[in-house]
C-alpha cells in the first residue's frame, strides 16, 4: 500500500470550498473553528488518516497555509501499517458517525 500524495494548497482550498458549497476563490485565508473542524473531517475521510491534534496544535491552525502544513505533515508521517507517527495511538473517536463527543468528530488528545 502506498502513501497518499500530501495535499497542496489547492487541494486544501478545494476541501474548504466544499464547506458551504462555495467557489474556491471565496475561501478566506483565515480559518474559523467550524471551517477547521470541517477540513479535519474532510481530510480524514479523503485520506483515511485520523488526525490526533492537541488543543494547542488545533488552536495554532489559523490560516490556509497553517492547515496545509499540518495536513501535509500528517500524510508524510503516516506509517505503512496505518495511523500516524504523531499521536499516542490511544484515540477512541471516529469520524462519520457514532456519538458526538463535542469536537465535531475530531479526535484530539
Amino acid at each position: 500500500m502506498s502513501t497518499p500524495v500530501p495535499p497542496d494548497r489547492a487541494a486544501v482550498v478545494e476541501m474548504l470550498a466544499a464547506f458551504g458549497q462555495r467557489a474556491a476563490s471565496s475561501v478566506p485565508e483565515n480559518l474559523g473553528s467550524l471551517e477547521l473542524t470541517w477540513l479535519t473531517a474532510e481530510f480524514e475521510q479523503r485520506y483515511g488518516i485520523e488526525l490526533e491534534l492537541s488543543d494547542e496544535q488545533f488552536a495554532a491552525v489559523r490560516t490556509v497555509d497553517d492547515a496545509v502544513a499540518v495536513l501535509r505533515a500528517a500524510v508524510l508521517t503516516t506509517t505503512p501499517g496505518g495511523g500516524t507517527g504523531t499521536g499516542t495511538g490511544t484515540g477512541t473517536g471516529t469520524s462519520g458517525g457514532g456519538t458526538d463527543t463535542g469536537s465535531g468528530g475530531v479526535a484530539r488528545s
Side-chain angles (χ1 to χ4, degrees), residues 19-94:
F19 179 68
Q21 300 176 345
R22 56 191 168 176
S25 62
S26 69
V27 172
E29 178 60 26
N30 293 318
L31 302 177
S33 60
L34 289 177
E35 288 171 313
L36 183 54
T37 300
W38 167 273
L39 177 61
T40 301
E42 185 73 12
F43 172 83
E44 288 178 344
Q45 183 177 9
R46 284 191 187 191
Y47 286 83
I49 298 170
E50 184 175 335
L51 294 175
E52 295 187 23
L53 302 176
S54 68
D55 289 340
E56 292 80 18
Q57 290 171 312
F58 190 80
V61 179
R62 299 279 187 214
T63 66
V64 172
D65 288 336
D66 293 341
V68 170
V70 167
L71 299 179
R72 286 183 65 83
V75 170
L76 293 172
T77 59
T78 299
T79 59
T84 65
T86 60
T88 61
T90 60
T92 58
T94 61

